[in-house]
Amino acid sequence: METSNHFTCLTYDTIDFLILSKYVLFGIYIGTNDEGNRINFENEVLPRLSIGGFLEKEFNCRHTEDCNVMLVMNKIDFDEDLQKKIVDFTGTAFPATGNFAISVNSSVTSRIIDISFLRLIPEGIRKRTNECGISAIGFTERRQILLSPDNLLRSFLRGSL
């Protein structure tokens, strides 16, 4: 049985945030001073959510590098309610491709990780942590938190609206 999976890893000082790579179409470095709720990319205007500060505040961590990375995702991986919230928050409709971006202020890598190191959250606190986007945790040489992108974005938008 396969015990590894492909993840997009957001590296912060004390935590690696993991997102299953199937949600991320691609990532691109966009510079350090790029702000706003939309970004022009490949002749499209993409809705953009800047979640780096949110991750730092919620998980008491700091970015390791001064960079701004855009991770492009597609709306088809998320339910219609969340799609509407993204459009309402950014004030930008999805382009014909359905792509949107989240940006983080840390380095991003692609990794194959042995998922046997990840553990489900204890049942007593699972509902609350899942609402925040946390699906599992791992402790190897660094803390690792597996994020559910849809629940993470819901939590981000709840705190931002």
Side-chain angles (χ1 to χ4, degrees):
M1 182 171 165
E2 185 77 28
T3 62
S4 61
N5 215 327
H6 193 221
F7 293 92
T8 299
C9 180
L10 316 175
T11 303
Y12 283 77
D13 62 344
T14 57
I15 302 171
D16 288 337
F17 295 103
L18 307 173
I19 299 173
L20 276 171
S21 290
K22 72 177 188 175
Y23 291 104
V24 180
L25 300 175
F26 60 88
I28 188 166
Y29 175 75
I30 57 174
T32 56
N33 293 322
D34 198 21
E35 300 280 331
N37 291 335
R38 64 183 62 101
I39 188 161
N40 293 322
F41 183 76
E42 300 271 320
N43 298 320
E44 292 184 323
V45 177
L46 304 180
R48 184 177 99 178
L49 305 166
S50 299
I51 66 167
F54 175 76
L55 290 173
E56 290 180 18
K57 179 181 163 215
E58 291 297 308
F59 295 97
N60 196 25
C61 60
R62 294 184 195 169
H63 57 276
T64 56
E65 298 179 35
D66 251 350
C67 60
N68 196 355
V69 176
M70 176 179 70
L71 302 175
V72 175
M73 299 178 170
N74 195 282
K75 72 178 186 175
I76 61 170
D77 291 323
F78 303 90
D79 65 35
E80 288 183 21
D81 181 52
L82 184 57
Q83 292 175 30
K84 182 180 178 331
K85 288 178 181 180
I86 291 170
V87 169
D88 290 346
F89 177 79
T90 63
T92 305
F94 291 103
T97 60
N99 293 341
F100 70 100
I102 64 170
S103 62
V104 295
N105 49 344
S106 191
S107 63
V108 176
T109 57
S110 181
R111 294 186 189 166
I112 303 289
I113 294 179
D114 182 351
I115 60 173
S116 67
F117 290 109
L118 295 173
R119 299 287 181 250
L120 289 176
I121 304 295
E123 194 168 338
I125 60 171
R126 189 175 300 160
K127 182 178 182 211
R128 173 65 182 120
T129 56
N130 196 26
E131 287 174 356
C132 296
I134 301 171
S135 297
I137 57 173
F139 297 97
T140 54
E141 57 258 8
R142 293 175 50 83
R143 286 189 295 166
Q144 297 174 323
I145 296 178
L146 176 61
L147 296 175
S148 164
D150 53 344
N151 289 341
L152 175 68
L153 293 178
R154 275 190 191 84
S155 182
F156 169 79
L157 292 168
R158 229 182 351 262
S160 300
L161 295 177

